[in-house]
């Protein structure tokens, strides 16, 4: 199992790098394509919208495929999208290539989470999912800062060429180490859509959309925030991105075991902490030291909610979890697109580079409200509503 999880996490590493590295390279991308920075921010939204569309679409089209075959197919499309980003000559074509690269994002991570949870068993499924998602967090310690520095030195397209290479390695790792697994489902595609419509699944997805948008409202504009408000040099941006990744990793390591024991309280605590941190970040961002500390804490509390929400959505989908699992990544990337857009609106309105954090705090409070409402509605005694599973405190 460790090598299988490593292979799955390597794919998450590639996905995390390509998703977030462009945020540190927005000035370089804007200069190369001859567009303003807010317009370059649309490339972030294009990728995120690709995830929103691709997660349910590709999952639906691949429901009859073996899980391992689906993983290989999704990573192959991801590889192609990043290669096209390297060679696309215009803003419009880069937008299209980023959309294509985003299409398999949620489908891959959704299936990877299902496979990891299946291999680990009911008692450690949140921990196993968190280990796969650790690839996303490590990407922000190593992949994003290194890609940002490489892009600053040799051209922003080089970063995406490296991502394509990592995707190729993932294909080899999945082919070699991930076993063929049989995960029981019921009802076929109709059953998957029926599970997706369950109230607890819908509320879980809405929690991700609103709760997580605040993180991306800030992170999408982290480079100009650090240089314009915190007074850091451009060369410090990769270090700040690495600090965000450190926070993400710490949050991911802590939250997995907690969510295995107390699923809903972990979600509540993460969202409440996120709202508080975003509110304080509007003040902290004006000093380089407090800004750096704030970035670490934001990464920890922001990404601490990802694995618990993933497990919640999968478990509430019952015996048809594939589409719900993938759609959870659509929700997170809808939050990505929405957060980047809302943050850009605040800046464009003249509210300043600190305004995305204030807007994000409000969004996190909305997400917390949805999560608490879902918890009050859901009175099941176990983390997935099934008495066959081991008991867990869900709030």
């Amino acid at each position: 199992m460790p090598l299988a999880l490593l292979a799955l996490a390597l794919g998450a590493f590639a996905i995390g790098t390509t998703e977030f590295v462009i945020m540190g390279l927005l000035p370089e991308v804007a200069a190369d394509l001859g567009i303003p920075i807010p317009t370059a921010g649309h490339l972030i939204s294009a990728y995120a919208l690709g995830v929103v569309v691709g997660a349910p679409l590709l999952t639906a089209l691949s429901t009859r495929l073996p899980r391992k075959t689906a993983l290989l197919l999704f990573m192959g499309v991801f590889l192609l999208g990043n290669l096209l980003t390297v060679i696309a000559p215009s803003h419009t074509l880069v937008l299209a290539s980023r959309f294509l690269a985003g299409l398999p994002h949620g489908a891959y991570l959704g299936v990877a989470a299902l496979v990891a949870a299946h291999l680990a068993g009911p008692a450690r499924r949140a921990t196993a999912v968190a280990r796969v998602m650790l690839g996303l967090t490590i990407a922000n310690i190593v992949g994003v800062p290194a890609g940002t520095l490489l892009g600053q030195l040799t051209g922003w397209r080089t970063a995406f060429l490296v991502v394509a290479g990592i995707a190729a390695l993932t294909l080899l790792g999945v082919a070699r180490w991930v076993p063929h697994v049989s995960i029981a489902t019921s009802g076929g595609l109709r059953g998957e859509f029926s599970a997706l419509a369950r109230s607890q699944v819908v509320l879980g997805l809405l929690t991700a959309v609103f709760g997580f948008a605040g993180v991306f409202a800030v992170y999408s504009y982290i480079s100009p925030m650090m240089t314009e408000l915190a007074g850091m040099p451009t060369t410090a941006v990769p270090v700040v991105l690495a600090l965000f990744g450190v926070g993400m990793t710490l949050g991911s390591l802590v939250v997995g075991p907690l969510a295995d024991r107390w699923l809903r309280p972990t979600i509540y605590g993460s969202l409440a902490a996120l709202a508080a941190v975003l509110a304080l970040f509007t003040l902290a961002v004006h000093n380089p030291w407090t800004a750096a500390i704030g970035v670490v804490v934001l990464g920890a509390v922001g990404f601490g909610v990802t694995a618990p929400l993933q497990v919640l959505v999968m478990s509430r989908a019952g015996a048809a979890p594939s589409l719900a699992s993938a759609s959870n990544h659509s929700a997170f990337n809808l939050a990505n697109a929405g957060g980047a857009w809302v943050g850009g609106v605040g800046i464009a309105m003249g509210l300043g580079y600190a305004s995305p954090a204030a807007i994000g705090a409000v969004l996190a409070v909305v997400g917390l409200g949805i999560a608490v409402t879902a918890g009050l509605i859901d009175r099941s005694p176990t983390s997935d509503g099934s008495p066959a599973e081991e008991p867990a405190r869900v709030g």
Side-chain angles (χ1 to χ4, degrees):
M1 185 176 73
L3 289 178
L5 293 182
L6 177 62
L8 296 173
L10 183 61
F13 178 87
I15 287 171
T17 300
T18 203
E19 180 178 18
F20 298 123
V21 73
I22 196 167
M23 298 174 185
L25 292 171
L26 279 185
E28 288 74 19
V29 173
D32 180 53
L33 297 177
I35 55 178
I37 287 179
T39 302
H42 295 167
L43 298 176
I44 300 171
S45 298
Y47 181 91
L49 291 175
V51 183
V52 173
V53 173
L57 177 62
L58 293 185
T59 301
L61 293 175
S62 64
T63 51
R64 296 188 180 276
L65 292 177
R67 307 289 178 167
K68 182 172 180 175
T69 302
L71 288 169
L72 294 171
L73 174 63
F74 299 151
M75 189 51 57
V77 175
F78 176 80
L79 170 60
L80 176 61
N82 280 278
L83 286 176
L84 291 177
T85 298
V86 175
I87 63 175
S90 67
H91 175 227
T92 300
L93 291 178
V94 174
L95 272 174
S97 69
R98 293 299 293 160
F99 180 82
L100 176 63
L103 285 175
H105 173 127
Y108 174 87
L109 292 178
V111 174
L114 286 173
V115 171
H118 176 80
L119 293 175
R124 291 181 56 81
R125 57 186 178 176
T127 298
V129 171
R131 292 296 180 267
V132 172
M133 300 307 165
L134 200 61
L136 293 174
T137 67
I138 294 176
N140 282 270
I141 298 177
V142 180
V144 174
T148 299
L149 181 60
L150 182 65
Q152 290 174 340
L153 294 176
T154 65
W156 65 272
R157 297 175 191 270
T158 309
F160 296 96
L161 181 61
V162 173
V163 169
I166 299 171
L169 291 176
T170 300
L171 285 171
L172 295 175
V174 171
R176 175 67 179 84
W177 291 324
V178 174
H180 289 280
V181 297
S182 177
I183 301 175
T185 61
S186 63
L189 186 57
R190 178 176 296 179
E192 295 285 348
F193 277 106
S194 177
L196 187 62
R198 293 181 181 181
S199 62
Q200 286 298 315
V201 173
V202 172
L203 290 171
L205 297 177
L206 287 175
T207 300
V209 171
F210 285 95
F212 213 62
V215 176
F216 285 107
V218 172
Y219 193 59
S220 298
Y221 301 96
I222 197 70
S223 180
M225 290 176 80
M226 293 300 105
T227 56
E228 298 294 330
L229 298 182
M232 296 183 183
T234 303
T235 53
V237 173
V239 177
V240 172
L241 296 176
L243 290 175
F244 188 81
V246 169
M248 289 173 61
T249 302
L250 292 175
S252 180
L253 288 172
V254 170
V255 80
L258 286 177
D260 278 327
R261 293 177 60 84
W262 304 287
L263 184 56
R264 285 200 186 274
T266 301
I267 294 172
Y268 301 155
S270 296
L271 288 170
L274 176 59
V277 169
L278 285 167
L280 292 172
F281 196 74
T282 60
L283 303 175
V285 74
H286 295 282
N287 178 279
W289 293 105
T290 56
I293 294 171
V295 165
V296 175
V297 179
L298 178 61
V301 298
F303 281 76
V305 77
T306 55
L309 278 176
Q310 183 74 38
V311 171
L312 178 69
V313 168
M314 289 192 309
S315 62
R316 291 305 187 267
S322 298
L323 191 57
S325 179
S327 295
N328 193 50
H329 295 282
S330 291
F332 278 117
N333 279 269
L334 188 58
N336 185 340
W341 178 75
V342 171
V345 168
I347 295 170
M349 290 177 62
L351 299 179
Y353 280 115
S355 61
I359 296 170
V362 175
L363 292 172
V365 170
V366 174
L368 176 59
I370 296 171
V372 171
T373 300
L376 293 174
I377 294 172
D378 184 13
R379 296 296 186 182
S380 62
T382 71
S383 62
D384 68 351
S386 170
E389 296 287 359
E390 294 189 17
R393 293 176 59 186
V394 297

